[in-house]
Amino acid sequence: MKLTVLKEFLNESIQHVSKAISSKTTIPILSGIKIDADSTGITLTASDTDISIQSFIPNEKNELQVIDLKQSGSVVLPSKFFVEIIRKLPAQQVEIEVKDHFQTTIRSGSSEIQLVGLDPEEYPIMPGIEENKRIQIPSDLLKTMIKQTSFAVSTNEATPILTGILWTISNGKLKFTACDRHRLASRETNIDTDVDFSLNNVSISGKTLNELSKILPDQNTLIDVVFAENQVLFKMSSILFYTRILDGTYPDTSKLIPQAYQTELVVNTDNLADAIDRAYLLSREEKTNIVKLVMHEDETIEISSSSSELGKVTEELTTASLKGDLLRISFNSKYMLDALKVMDSEQIHIGFTGAMQPIIIRPDENSSLLQLILPYRTTG
Protein backbone atom coordinates (compact mmCIF):
# COMPACT_ATOMS: atom_id res chain seq x y z
CA MET A 1 0.00 0.00 0.00
CA LYS A 2 1.25 3.45 -0.86
CA LEU A 3 -0.66 6.72 -0.76
CA THR A 4 -0.59 10.38 0.15
CA VAL A 5 -3.47 11.92 2.09
CA LEU A 6 -4.23 15.36 3.53
CA LYS A 7 -3.47 15.32 7.27
CA GLU A 8 -6.66 17.25 8.20
CA PHE A 9 -8.94 14.55 6.75
CA LEU A 10 -6.88 11.64 8.08
CA ASN A 11 -6.70 13.12 11.57
CA GLU A 12 -10.47 13.78 11.69
CA SER A 13 -11.20 10.16 10.69
CA ILE A 14 -8.75 8.80 13.25
CA GLN A 15 -10.37 10.87 16.02
CA HIS A 16 -13.78 9.41 15.11
CA VAL A 17 -12.76 5.74 15.02
CA SER A 18 -10.42 5.91 18.03
CA LYS A 19 -13.51 6.25 20.26
CA ALA A 20 -13.99 2.50 19.73
CA ILE A 21 -10.51 1.58 20.97
CA SER A 22 -10.36 0.02 24.43
CA SER A 23 -7.17 -0.01 26.49
CA LYS A 24 -8.40 -3.19 28.21
CA THR A 25 -8.85 -5.40 25.14
CA THR A 26 -7.69 -9.01 25.45
CA ILE A 27 -7.50 -9.33 21.63
CA PRO A 28 -4.18 -7.76 20.52
CA ILE A 29 -5.33 -6.93 16.95
CA LEU A 30 -8.14 -4.76 18.38
CA SER A 31 -5.60 -2.39 19.92
CA GLY A 32 -4.96 -1.22 16.36
CA ILE A 33 -6.74 0.80 13.67
CA LYS A 34 -7.31 -0.99 10.39
CA ILE A 35 -6.65 0.97 7.20
CA ASP A 36 -8.05 -0.15 3.83
CA ALA A 37 -7.12 1.84 0.74
CA ASP A 38 -8.64 1.28 -2.71
CA SER A 39 -9.70 3.26 -5.77
CA THR A 40 -12.67 4.85 -3.93
CA GLY A 41 -10.74 6.14 -0.91
CA ILE A 42 -9.54 5.12 2.56
CA THR A 43 -11.62 3.28 5.17
CA LEU A 44 -10.48 3.33 8.81
CA THR A 45 -11.92 0.77 11.25
CA ALA A 46 -11.65 0.41 15.02
CA SER A 47 -13.49 -1.94 17.39
CA ASP A 48 -13.63 -3.14 20.99
CA THR A 49 -16.25 -5.87 20.22
CA ASP A 50 -19.00 -3.77 21.89
CA ILE A 51 -18.55 -0.80 19.54
CA SER A 52 -17.17 -0.78 16.00
CA ILE A 53 -16.64 2.46 14.04
CA GLN A 54 -15.77 2.85 10.37
CA SER A 55 -14.86 6.19 8.83
CA PHE A 56 -14.48 6.73 5.09
CA ILE A 57 -12.25 9.34 3.44
CA PRO A 58 -13.12 9.90 -0.24
CA ASN A 59 -10.47 10.61 -2.91
CA GLU A 60 -12.02 14.02 -3.52
CA LYS A 61 -14.19 16.33 -1.46
CA ASN A 62 -15.69 19.57 -2.79
CA GLU A 63 -13.31 19.38 -5.79
CA LEU A 64 -10.33 19.12 -3.42
CA GLN A 65 -7.91 16.25 -4.05
CA VAL A 66 -7.71 14.51 -0.66
CA ILE A 67 -5.93 11.24 -1.54
CA ASP A 68 -3.34 10.33 -4.12
CA LEU A 69 -3.37 6.52 -4.28
CA LYS A 70 -0.34 4.83 -5.81
CA GLN A 71 -0.98 1.30 -4.58
CA SER A 72 -4.04 -0.13 -2.81
CA GLY A 73 -3.74 -2.38 0.24
CA SER A 74 -4.50 -2.83 3.95
CA VAL A 75 -2.69 -2.74 7.27
CA VAL A 76 -3.47 -2.56 11.00
CA LEU A 77 -1.44 0.06 12.89
CA PRO A 78 -1.09 0.36 16.70
CA SER A 79 -3.63 3.02 17.65
CA LYS A 80 -1.76 4.30 20.72
CA PHE A 81 1.06 5.65 18.53
CA PHE A 82 -0.77 6.17 15.24
CA VAL A 83 -3.34 8.57 16.76
CA GLU A 84 -0.66 10.75 18.39
CA ILE A 85 1.80 10.63 15.50
CA ILE A 86 -0.67 11.82 12.85
CA ARG A 87 -1.91 14.65 15.08
CA LYS A 88 1.64 15.91 15.62
CA LEU A 89 3.00 15.65 12.06
CA PRO A 90 4.52 18.89 10.73
CA ALA A 91 3.14 19.08 7.17
CA GLN A 92 -0.31 19.02 5.56
CA GLN A 93 0.55 16.02 3.38
CA VAL A 94 1.00 12.56 4.93
CA GLU A 95 2.55 9.71 2.96
CA ILE A 96 1.89 6.14 4.14
CA GLU A 97 3.80 3.23 2.63
CA VAL A 98 3.39 -0.42 3.68
CA LYS A 99 6.10 -2.89 2.65
CA ASP A 100 6.81 -6.57 3.34
CA HIS A 101 5.62 -7.98 6.68
CA PHE A 102 3.46 -4.87 7.12
CA GLN A 103 6.42 -2.65 7.95
CA THR A 104 4.92 0.83 7.60
CA THR A 105 6.64 4.14 6.91
CA ILE A 106 4.86 7.45 7.56
CA ARG A 107 6.41 10.59 6.06
CA SER A 108 5.37 14.22 6.50
CA GLY A 109 7.60 17.20 5.86
CA SER A 110 10.99 16.35 7.36
CA SER A 111 9.58 13.61 9.61
CA GLU A 112 9.80 9.88 8.90
CA ILE A 113 8.31 7.32 11.29
CA GLN A 114 8.60 3.53 11.10
CA LEU A 115 5.78 1.46 12.59
CA VAL A 116 5.39 -2.31 12.88
CA GLY A 117 2.01 -3.08 11.35
CA LEU A 118 -0.21 -6.13 11.85
CA ASP A 119 -1.88 -8.47 9.36
CA PRO A 120 -5.33 -7.03 8.39
CA GLU A 121 -6.58 -10.57 7.63
CA GLU A 122 -6.63 -11.21 11.39
CA TYR A 123 -8.95 -8.25 12.00
CA PRO A 124 -12.60 -9.18 12.71
CA ILE A 125 -15.06 -8.60 9.85
CA MET A 126 -17.73 -5.96 10.46
CA PRO A 127 -21.15 -7.48 11.24
CA GLY A 128 -23.53 -7.80 8.29
CA ILE A 129 -26.86 -6.15 9.08
CA GLU A 130 -30.11 -6.54 7.17
CA GLU A 131 -31.77 -3.17 6.73
CA ASN A 132 -35.40 -4.20 7.09
CA LYS A 133 -35.84 -2.39 10.43
CA ARG A 134 -34.67 1.16 9.84
CA ILE A 135 -35.63 4.61 11.06
CA GLN A 136 -34.38 8.08 10.19
CA ILE A 137 -33.86 10.72 12.84
CA PRO A 138 -32.32 14.22 12.61
CA SER A 139 -28.83 14.31 14.10
CA ASP A 140 -29.52 17.28 16.40
CA LEU A 141 -32.68 15.63 17.76
CA LEU A 142 -30.82 12.36 18.47
CA LYS A 143 -28.09 14.30 20.32
CA THR A 144 -30.73 16.11 22.39
CA MET A 145 -32.55 12.87 23.28
CA ILE A 146 -29.27 11.25 24.40
CA LYS A 147 -28.40 14.32 26.51
CA GLN A 148 -31.86 14.40 28.14
CA THR A 149 -31.75 10.75 29.23
CA SER A 150 -28.20 9.34 29.42
CA PHE A 151 -27.37 10.94 32.79
CA ALA A 152 -30.04 8.74 34.43
CA VAL A 153 -28.52 5.37 33.44
CA SER A 154 -27.12 3.19 36.20
CA THR A 155 -23.36 3.05 36.78
CA ASN A 156 -23.70 -0.25 38.64
CA GLU A 157 -22.38 -3.05 36.42
CA ALA A 158 -24.17 -5.60 38.64
CA THR A 159 -27.32 -4.80 36.63
CA PRO A 160 -25.93 -4.31 33.10
CA ILE A 161 -29.32 -3.74 31.46
CA LEU A 162 -29.85 -0.56 33.52
CA THR A 163 -26.54 0.89 32.27
CA GLY A 164 -28.33 1.32 28.94
CA ILE A 165 -31.03 3.52 27.44
CA LEU A 166 -34.12 1.57 26.42
CA TRP A 167 -35.36 2.28 22.86
CA THR A 168 -39.02 1.55 22.19
CA ILE A 169 -40.82 2.14 18.90
CA SER A 170 -44.60 1.98 18.64
CA ASN A 171 -47.20 3.71 16.43
CA GLY A 172 -44.60 5.89 14.71
CA LYS A 173 -43.07 7.12 17.98
CA LEU A 174 -39.57 6.56 19.35
CA LYS A 175 -39.10 6.67 23.11
CA PHE A 176 -35.88 6.68 25.17
CA THR A 177 -36.03 5.54 28.81
CA ALA A 178 -33.17 5.53 31.34
CA CYS A 179 -33.53 4.46 34.98
CA ASP A 180 -31.04 3.75 37.78
CA ARG A 181 -33.71 2.73 40.38
CA HIS A 182 -33.54 6.17 42.05
CA ARG A 183 -34.52 8.32 39.06
CA LEU A 184 -35.89 7.98 35.56
CA ALA A 185 -35.63 10.08 32.41
CA SER A 186 -37.70 9.59 29.26
CA ARG A 187 -38.10 11.44 25.97
CA GLU A 188 -40.43 10.68 23.06
CA THR A 189 -40.53 11.87 19.44
CA ASN A 190 -42.30 11.12 16.16
CA ILE A 191 -40.17 9.28 13.59
CA ASP A 192 -40.15 8.28 9.92
CA THR A 193 -39.87 4.57 9.14
CA ASP A 194 -39.75 2.71 5.81
CA VAL A 195 -41.99 -0.01 7.21
CA ASP A 196 -44.22 0.00 10.27
CA PHE A 197 -42.51 -2.02 13.00
CA SER A 198 -42.23 -2.01 16.78
CA LEU A 199 -39.34 -2.41 19.22
CA ASN A 200 -39.74 -3.10 22.91
CA ASN A 201 -36.49 -4.43 24.36
CA VAL A 202 -33.54 -2.71 22.67
CA SER A 203 -31.20 -1.31 25.32
CA ILE A 204 -27.99 0.46 24.23
CA SER A 205 -25.23 1.38 26.68
CA GLY A 206 -25.52 5.01 27.83
CA LYS A 207 -21.73 5.29 27.69
CA THR A 208 -21.78 4.15 24.05
CA LEU A 209 -24.53 6.61 23.12
CA ASN A 210 -22.54 9.45 24.71
CA GLU A 211 -19.58 8.48 22.50
CA LEU A 212 -21.90 8.42 19.48
CA SER A 213 -23.18 11.87 20.42
CA LYS A 214 -19.64 13.28 20.16
CA ILE A 215 -19.37 12.35 16.48
CA LEU A 216 -22.93 13.12 15.41
CA PRO A 217 -23.02 16.21 13.16
CA ASP A 218 -24.41 19.34 14.85
CA GLN A 219 -26.46 20.37 11.85
CA ASN A 220 -29.88 18.94 11.05
CA THR A 221 -28.62 15.89 9.12
CA LEU A 222 -30.74 12.75 8.85
CA ILE A 223 -29.15 9.71 10.51
CA ASP A 224 -30.16 6.19 9.53
CA VAL A 225 -30.58 3.83 12.50
CA VAL A 226 -30.73 0.14 11.56
CA PHE A 227 -31.83 -2.51 14.10
CA ALA A 228 -30.70 -6.14 13.87
CA GLU A 229 -30.98 -9.09 16.24
CA ASN A 230 -28.16 -8.06 18.56
CA GLN A 231 -26.65 -5.00 16.85
CA VAL A 232 -27.66 -1.44 16.01
CA LEU A 233 -25.99 0.49 13.19
CA PHE A 234 -25.94 4.29 13.00
CA LYS A 235 -25.20 5.47 9.46
CA MET A 236 -23.84 8.96 8.84
CA SER A 237 -22.50 10.39 5.59
CA SER A 238 -18.97 9.02 6.05
CA ILE A 239 -19.21 7.10 9.34
CA LEU A 240 -20.69 3.74 10.30
CA PHE A 241 -21.15 3.25 14.05
CA TYR A 242 -22.04 -0.30 15.18
CA THR A 243 -23.00 -1.11 18.74
CA ARG A 244 -24.09 -4.23 20.59
CA ILE A 245 -27.55 -4.45 22.15
CA LEU A 246 -27.32 -5.17 25.89
CA ASP A 247 -28.40 -8.64 27.04
CA GLY A 248 -31.39 -9.00 29.32
CA THR A 249 -34.92 -7.67 29.67
CA TYR A 250 -35.42 -4.04 30.65
CA PRO A 251 -37.82 -3.74 33.62
CA ASP A 252 -41.29 -2.25 33.08
CA THR A 253 -41.04 1.32 34.40
CA SER A 254 -44.47 2.50 33.23
CA LYS A 255 -46.07 1.72 36.61
CA LEU A 256 -43.78 4.26 38.30
CA ILE A 257 -45.46 7.20 36.56
CA PRO A 258 -48.71 8.33 38.22
CA GLN A 259 -51.75 9.21 36.09
CA ALA A 260 -53.01 11.93 38.47
CA TYR A 261 -51.37 14.24 41.01
CA GLN A 262 -52.22 15.18 44.58
CA THR A 263 -50.18 18.40 44.28
CA GLU A 264 -49.05 20.36 41.21
CA LEU A 265 -46.44 23.08 41.15
CA VAL A 266 -45.37 25.45 38.34
CA VAL A 267 -42.14 27.35 38.92
CA ASN A 268 -39.40 29.19 37.00
CA THR A 269 -36.78 26.61 35.93
CA ASP A 270 -33.68 28.77 36.42
CA ASN A 271 -34.82 30.19 39.78
CA LEU A 272 -35.46 26.69 41.16
CA ALA A 273 -32.17 25.34 39.75
CA ASP A 274 -30.18 28.25 41.25
CA ALA A 275 -31.81 27.84 44.68
CA ILE A 276 -31.17 24.08 44.72
CA ASP A 277 -27.60 24.65 43.52
CA ARG A 278 -26.94 26.94 46.48
CA ALA A 279 -28.53 24.44 48.88
CA TYR A 280 -26.42 21.68 47.29
CA LEU A 281 -23.25 23.42 48.51
CA LEU A 282 -24.13 22.47 52.09
CA SER A 283 -25.88 19.17 51.40
CA ARG A 284 -22.83 17.74 49.64
CA GLU A 285 -20.72 18.48 52.74
CA GLU A 286 -22.95 16.04 54.62
CA LYS A 287 -22.31 13.47 51.86
CA THR A 288 -26.10 13.08 51.55
CA ASN A 289 -27.04 15.68 48.89
CA ILE A 290 -30.45 15.94 50.63
CA VAL A 291 -32.42 19.15 50.05
CA LYS A 292 -35.89 19.83 51.52
CA LEU A 293 -38.81 21.51 49.77
CA VAL A 294 -41.68 22.88 51.87
CA MET A 295 -44.87 24.31 50.32
CA HIS A 296 -46.77 27.23 51.89
CA GLU A 297 -50.37 28.47 51.60
CA ASP A 298 -49.28 31.75 49.96
CA GLU A 299 -48.06 29.69 46.95
CA THR A 300 -44.40 30.06 47.90
CA ILE A 301 -41.95 27.20 48.40
CA GLU A 302 -39.00 26.98 50.74
CA ILE A 303 -35.76 25.25 49.67
CA SER A 304 -33.34 24.34 52.46
CA SER A 305 -30.40 22.17 53.40
CA SER A 306 -28.22 21.92 56.45
CA SER A 307 -24.80 20.76 57.54
CA SER A 308 -24.02 19.84 61.14
CA GLU A 309 -20.63 21.54 60.79
CA LEU A 310 -21.33 24.49 58.48
CA GLY A 311 -24.90 25.63 59.17
CA LYS A 312 -28.08 25.99 57.11
CA VAL A 313 -29.26 27.44 53.79
CA THR A 314 -32.91 28.53 53.44
CA GLU A 315 -34.41 30.21 50.40
CA GLU A 316 -37.97 31.17 49.51
CA LEU A 317 -39.30 31.15 45.93
CA THR A 318 -42.56 32.43 44.51
CA THR A 319 -44.34 29.99 42.20
CA ALA A 320 -46.43 30.55 39.08
CA SER A 321 -49.05 28.24 40.61
CA LEU A 322 -49.41 25.75 43.46
CA LYS A 323 -52.48 23.51 43.61
CA GLY A 324 -53.43 20.64 45.91
CA ASP A 325 -52.13 19.41 49.27
CA LEU A 326 -49.20 21.27 50.81
CA LEU A 327 -46.26 18.88 51.20
CA ARG A 328 -42.85 18.68 52.83
CA ILE A 329 -40.59 16.57 50.65
CA SER A 330 -36.87 15.70 50.60
CA PHE A 331 -34.84 14.69 47.55
CA ASN A 332 -31.34 14.25 46.16
CA SER A 333 -30.26 17.74 45.04
CA LYS A 334 -27.81 16.41 42.43
CA TYR A 335 -30.53 14.29 40.81
CA MET A 336 -32.86 17.30 40.69
CA LEU A 337 -30.15 19.53 39.20
CA ASP A 338 -29.36 16.92 36.53
CA ALA A 339 -33.05 16.85 35.60
CA LEU A 340 -33.42 20.64 35.53
CA LYS A 341 -30.31 21.11 33.36
CA VAL A 342 -31.93 19.33 30.40
CA MET A 343 -35.27 21.14 30.61
CA ASP A 344 -35.84 23.32 27.56
CA SER A 345 -38.50 25.67 28.93
CA GLU A 346 -38.66 28.78 31.10
CA GLN A 347 -41.09 27.13 33.52
CA ILE A 348 -41.48 23.56 34.72
CA HIS A 349 -44.43 21.57 36.01
CA ILE A 350 -43.75 19.33 39.00
CA GLY A 351 -46.32 16.72 40.06
CA PHE A 352 -46.52 15.01 43.47
CA THR A 353 -48.74 12.16 44.70
CA GLY A 354 -47.48 12.27 48.28
CA ALA A 355 -44.37 12.94 50.35
CA MET A 356 -42.93 9.48 49.65
CA GLN A 357 -44.15 9.03 46.07
CA PRO A 358 -42.20 9.74 42.83
CA ILE A 359 -41.68 13.39 41.88
CA ILE A 360 -42.53 14.01 38.20
CA ILE A 361 -40.90 16.94 36.37
CA ARG A 362 -41.91 18.13 32.88
CA PRO A 363 -41.26 21.30 30.84
CA ASP A 364 -45.07 21.56 30.43
CA GLU A 365 -48.10 19.38 31.03
CA ASN A 366 -48.10 17.72 27.59
CA SER A 367 -44.35 17.48 27.10
CA SER A 368 -42.61 14.54 25.45
CA LEU A 369 -39.84 14.92 28.06
CA LEU A 370 -40.32 13.51 31.57
CA GLN A 371 -38.03 13.24 34.58
CA LEU A 372 -38.81 11.21 37.71
CA ILE A 373 -37.01 11.35 41.06
CA LEU A 374 -37.72 9.20 44.11
CA PRO A 375 -37.86 11.28 47.33
CA TYR A 376 -36.00 10.52 50.56
CA ARG A 377 -37.52 9.68 53.92
CA THR A 378 -36.19 12.17 56.48
CA THR A 379 -37.09 13.28 59.97
CA GLY A 380 -38.00 16.85 60.83
Side-chain angles (χ1 to χ4, degrees):
M1 183 175 88
K2 188 174 183 181
L3 57 86
T4 305
V5 58
L6 292 178
K7 174 187 163 183
E8 174 192 351
F9 289 85
L10 179 59
N11 188 51
E12 184 183 23
S13 262
I14 289 170
Q15 295 307 317
H16 289 327
V17 300
S18 63
K19 290 177 171 54
I21 299 285
S22 169
S23 56
K24 299 173 184 172
T25 183
T26 54
I27 307 168
I29 195 85
L30 292 184
S31 63
I33 293 174
K34 185 185 178 195
I35 305 168
D36 294 291
D38 61 25
S39 57
T40 62
I42 301 171
T43 302
L44 273 66
T45 306
S47 176
D48 69 354
T49 67
D50 286 336
I51 310 175
S52 300
I53 305 175
Q54 281 192 327
S55 180
F56 179 69
I57 308 170
N59 286 327
E60 286 185 18
K61 191 164 185 179
N62 301 328
E63 298 184 1
L64 175 69
Q65 179 81 26
V66 178
I67 300 165
D68 179 15
L69 180 71
K70 296 187 171 59
Q71 185 183 349
S72 59
S74 301
V75 70
V76 177
L77 296 178
S79 62
K80 189 176 177 183
F81 303 105
F82 187 51
V83 171
E84 288 296 311
I85 284 164
I86 298 301
R87 192 166 58 83
K88 294 178 178 179
L89 287 175
Q92 288 310 304
Q93 296 269 4
V94 178
E95 184 186 313
I96 301 174
E97 185 176 7
V98 181
K99 293 187 175 177
D100 293 344
H101 308 296
F102 307 105
Q103 294 293 318
T104 303
T105 304
I106 298 171
R107 301 182 186 91
S108 180
S110 57
S111 293
E112 181 173 305
I113 297 107
Q114 307 281 340
L115 283 179
V116 178
L118 299 169
D119 185 353
E121 292 295 318
E122 293 177 17
Y123 203 87
I125 297 168
M126 290 297 99
I129 289 184
E130 288 184 20
E131 300 205 9
N132 51 6
K133 284 189 176 180
R134 182 175 73 98
I135 63 169
Q136 285 194 317
I137 183 169
S139 173
D140 51 355
L141 174 59
L142 181 53
K143 282 181 97 154
T144 299
M145 290 181 71
I146 293 169
K147 178 186 172 188
Q148 290 175 331
T149 52
S150 62
F151 64 86
V153 302
S154 174
T155 54
N156 186 352
E157 295 293 338
T159 50
I161 195 74
L162 292 182
T163 64
I165 295 175
L166 176 68
W167 293 50
T168 48
I169 294 175
S170 180
N171 301 320
K173 288 184 181 291
L174 167 67
K175 185 178 182 181
F176 281 13
T177 304
C179 180
D180 67 0
R181 291 205 171 98
H182 303 288
R183 56 179 166 174
L184 177 147
S186 74
R187 170 67 198 272
E188 196 171 62
T189 187
N190 294 317
I191 49 155
D192 293 323
T193 60
D194 294 339
V195 290
D196 188 29
F197 67 93
S198 61
L199 287 179
N200 58 16
N201 194 40
V202 170
S203 186
I204 302 172
S205 160
K207 193 174 172 185
T208 295
L209 288 172
N210 281 325
E211 290 299 331
L212 169 69
S213 189
K214 292 173 189 173
I215 61 177
L216 285 169
D218 287 324
Q219 62 271 34
N220 190 5
T221 311
L222 280 177
I223 305 297
D224 284 346
V225 187
V226 185
F227 301 92
E229 191 174 336
N230 59 1
Q231 293 270 340
V232 179
L233 167 61
F234 297 87
K235 295 174 76 175
M236 292 155 260
S237 58
S238 59
I239 299 170
L240 300 179
F241 188 109
Y242 299 82
T243 178
R244 187 175 61 82
I245 293 171
L246 295 176
D247 294 330
T249 302
Y250 205 91
D252 181 8
T253 57
S254 61
K255 295 180 181 67
L256 291 171
I257 299 157
Q259 300 305 305
Y261 301 120
Q262 181 182 327
T263 308
E264 290 186 72
L265 167 67
V266 180
V267 66
N268 181 280
T269 311
D270 289 343
N271 290 350
L272 180 61
D274 290 346
I276 292 172
D277 201 17
R278 286 186 281 271
Y280 170 60
L281 292 174
L282 254 68
S283 68
R284 76 179 179 194
E285 292 298 317
E286 288 291 285
K287 307 282 192 290
T288 62
N289 292 339
I290 292 176
V291 165
K292 293 180 183 177
L293 184 153
V294 179
M295 304 171 190
H296 299 301
E297 285 187 2
D298 61 355
E299 295 193 2
T300 61
I301 56 171
E302 183 184 285
I303 303 292
S304 68
S305 71
S306 59
S307 161
S308 54
E309 290 184 11
L310 295 175
K312 187 174 182 180
V313 172
T314 305
E315 194 157 338
E316 198 169 274
L317 293 178
T318 56
T319 66
S321 80
L322 176 55
K323 299 173 188 171
D325 298 344
L326 300 179
L327 298 172
R328 301 168 68 89
I329 199 158
S330 301
F331 53 83
N332 184 307
S333 52
K334 186 179 182 308
Y335 289 175
M336 183 65 83
L337 286 171
D338 285 344
L340 295 177
K341 277 176 193 168
V342 299
M343 291 294 163
D344 50 8
S345 65
E346 190 177 328
Q347 292 188 323
I348 51 160
H349 289 240
I350 309 179
F352 307 85
T353 51
M356 286 311 299
Q357 298 303 314
I359 305 166
I360 305 295
I361 310 140
R362 293 178 181 267
D364 59 61
E365 287 175 289
N366 302 309
S367 171
S368 60
L369 172 64
L370 178 147
Q371 307 283 345
L372 178 153
I373 297 170
L374 293 179
Y376 283 158
R377 189 182 298 278
T378 57
T379 54

